[in-house]
Amino acid sequence: MSATINDVAKEAGVSPSTVSKVLNNWSTISEETTRKVQDAIQRLDYTPNARAVSFARKSSNNILFLTSLEKEQAYLNPHMFEIMCGVHKALTDAQYTMMLTDTSNEGEKGSTVKRMMAQKCADGMIIHGSAINEETASIIVKEQYPHIIVGKPTFENELCWVDTNHALAGQYAAKHMLSMGYERIAFIGGCRTDHISMQRQRGFLGRMFDYGCSVPDSYIRYTNSSLEESYQASYDVLSSHKEIEAVVCENNLIAIGCLQAVRALSLKIPDNLGFLTFDRYPYAGIMTPIPTVVDINMYDLGVQAGTMMVQKLHHPSMQIQSFITLPVLCQGESTRRMD
């Protein structure tokens, strides 16, 4: 059996990451350590894999950004562009280029990652959470390829990822509504398979329960986030539960559908109904009245992902699994303290 990088590390009395740095000609490694590693390589007749050889020769100073670019993706996933812009800013500041790569047409899960790694066209990958799956994750971990996932994967993994704490955002929403005196609150969310929506819902319901204001199941509606379903779900819950004092919408598009239902029922915000939504981008600026919002800076999330990608390249053994970018409550005109 041929020698591995771990065998070389053991023979030289150093860590595998140090062997990798020697192979990549890092200037921070001492001459003595470099000599020990090179002697171990010669004794074991170790042949670095293709990726190690490529990195040893030169760095491409290019990072891949992998995501789905299907038609209407900007409408279905509006935060992706903000994240991507933040990533681009961080990489540009660090003198890296960014190459956008589409994963939507791959016939076999993980084939895009395999192809891009084989082409050796980048030093690492930043992958939007919607484009990661267990097959892709297995390939990345096996090859120890530098990467950052934007969005915590929904399966057990050894990946490096950054995310924002959506459950905490839900808690912020509940805390604010309770502080305004609202207790009977409806929640209009996305579908049950939408990880972000469910996290926000759990945080909201959990904090409501903590304060002794449990939310009946009949106050909760699930939608596909379309205007049509959001309108119908909001209309149904508000018309059948006239005691409801406020409504929380899980995203901007749901909020627009909800506002249409509110108008159809001749209700006024905030006179008859409190109203809160998540995310200022992209539609909060055109809503009337100005909504109270629990906002998460997705641009900053992208900046943090790009910055950590660069750190990962300089410290390959670094494991990153972190919630970053805290939510912020932005008081608008749609909630006010009840008498």
Side-chain angles (χ1 to χ4, degrees):
M1 182 180 295
S2 58
T4 68
I5 193 170
N6 291 326
D7 295 329
V8 173
K10 184 176 181 180
E11 179 74 13
V14 299
S15 68
S17 63
T18 298
V19 176
S20 178
K21 290 175 182 178
V22 171
L23 293 172
N24 293 318
N25 295 327
W26 280 44
S27 59
T28 55
I29 305 300
S30 68
E31 290 183 4
E32 180 182 358
T33 299
T34 299
R35 185 172 60 255
K36 287 196 299 184
V37 171
Q38 290 174 341
D39 289 346
I41 289 173
Q42 186 174 5
R43 286 195 300 272
L44 297 175
D45 193 25
Y46 170 67
T47 301
N49 60 37
R51 182 171 65 83
V53 172
S54 176
F55 274 79
R57 290 173 179 168
K58 63 178 181 179
S59 171
S60 69
N61 272 26
N62 181 48
I63 301 296
L64 301 178
F65 187 97
L66 276 69
T67 189
S68 174
L69 295 174
E70 292 180 295
K71 185 179 179 182
E72 299 184 346
Q73 191 66 26
Y75 176 78
L76 297 172
N77 191 3
H79 293 305
M80 184 187 69
F81 186 72
E82 283 286 285
I83 293 170
M84 190 164 54
C85 289
V87 168
H88 183 268
K89 172 66 165 58
L91 294 179
T92 299
D93 288 348
Q95 299 184 339
Y96 282 83
T97 58
M98 184 182 82
M99 184 168 74
L100 183 61
T101 305
D102 182 22
T103 64
S104 62
N105 294 318
E106 60 180 18
E108 179 184 348
K109 291 181 179 180
S111 59
T112 302
V113 165
K114 278 184 180 179
R115 184 178 73 255
M116 302 312 293
M117 287 168 54
Q119 291 175 358
K120 304 180 181 66
C121 58
D123 299 338
M125 298 178 181
I126 295 177
I127 305 177
H128 188 268
S130 62
I132 193 65
N133 51 63
E134 293 187 57
E135 291 80 1
T136 299
S138 177
I139 294 167
I140 293 171
V141 171
K142 180 180 179 181
E143 296 297 324
Q144 299 183 6
Y145 197 83
H147 67 278
I148 296 289
I149 313 299
V150 184
K152 181 183 177 182
T154 57
F155 51 87
E156 291 296 321
N157 66 88
E158 300 176 31
L159 297 166
C160 293
W161 55 264
V162 296
D163 199 359
T164 188
N165 194 329
H166 295 289
L168 182 62
Q171 293 173 25
Y172 276 32
K175 182 178 180 180
H176 172 75
M177 299 306 268
L178 290 168
S179 73
M180 294 289 104
Y182 303 112
E183 294 183 357
R184 295 185 287 272
I185 307 171
F187 188 96
I188 315 298
C191 62
R192 296 175 188 267
T193 57
D194 184 326
H195 177 70
I196 292 176
S197 179
M198 294 307 296
Q199 288 297 311
R200 289 174 172 178
Q201 178 183 315
R202 289 191 188 104
F204 172 78
L205 296 179
R207 182 50 57 92
M208 291 290 290
F209 182 81
D210 290 343
Y211 281 85
C213 296
S214 59
V215 180
D217 290 343
S218 58
Y219 284 14
I220 302 171
R221 293 291 189 275
Y222 301 95
T223 74
N224 64 1
S225 293
S226 68
L227 282 176
E228 294 80 6
E229 284 203 11
S230 301
Y231 169 85
Q232 194 61 55
S234 301
Y235 190 95
D236 288 347
V237 73
L238 292 174
S239 60
S240 59
H241 296 281
K242 299 185 184 301
E243 74 278 8
I244 287 176
E245 301 166 338
V247 61
V248 171
C249 296
E250 186 273 322
N251 65 46
N252 269 206
L253 198 56
I254 291 174
I256 290 179
C258 181
L259 288 176
Q260 291 176 350
V262 168
R263 286 192 289 269
L265 291 166
S266 300
L267 297 172
K268 292 185 178 180
I269 295 174
D271 295 343
N272 310 124
L273 191 73
F275 178 83
L276 178 146
T277 185
F278 293 85
D279 310 323
R280 297 178 67 181
Y281 178 85
Y283 303 120
I286 63 172
M287 294 181 193
T288 304
I290 298 170
T292 295
V293 175
V294 177
D295 190 42
I296 295 170
N297 190 333
M298 293 297 181
Y299 181 88
D300 181 65
L301 179 61
V303 169
Q304 297 298 327
T307 300
M308 291 187 179
M309 179 76 258
V310 175
Q311 294 177 1
K312 178 71 175 175
L313 292 174
H314 289 94
H315 306 282
S317 62
M318 182 171 63
Q319 180 72 353
I320 302 167
Q321 293 187 342
S322 177
F323 288 110
I324 56 178
T325 308
L326 290 174
V328 177
L329 190 286
C330 305
Q331 175 73 59
E333 300 171 349
S334 65
T335 56
R336 69 181 183 188
R337 191 173 298 279
M338 297 181 68
D339 296 331

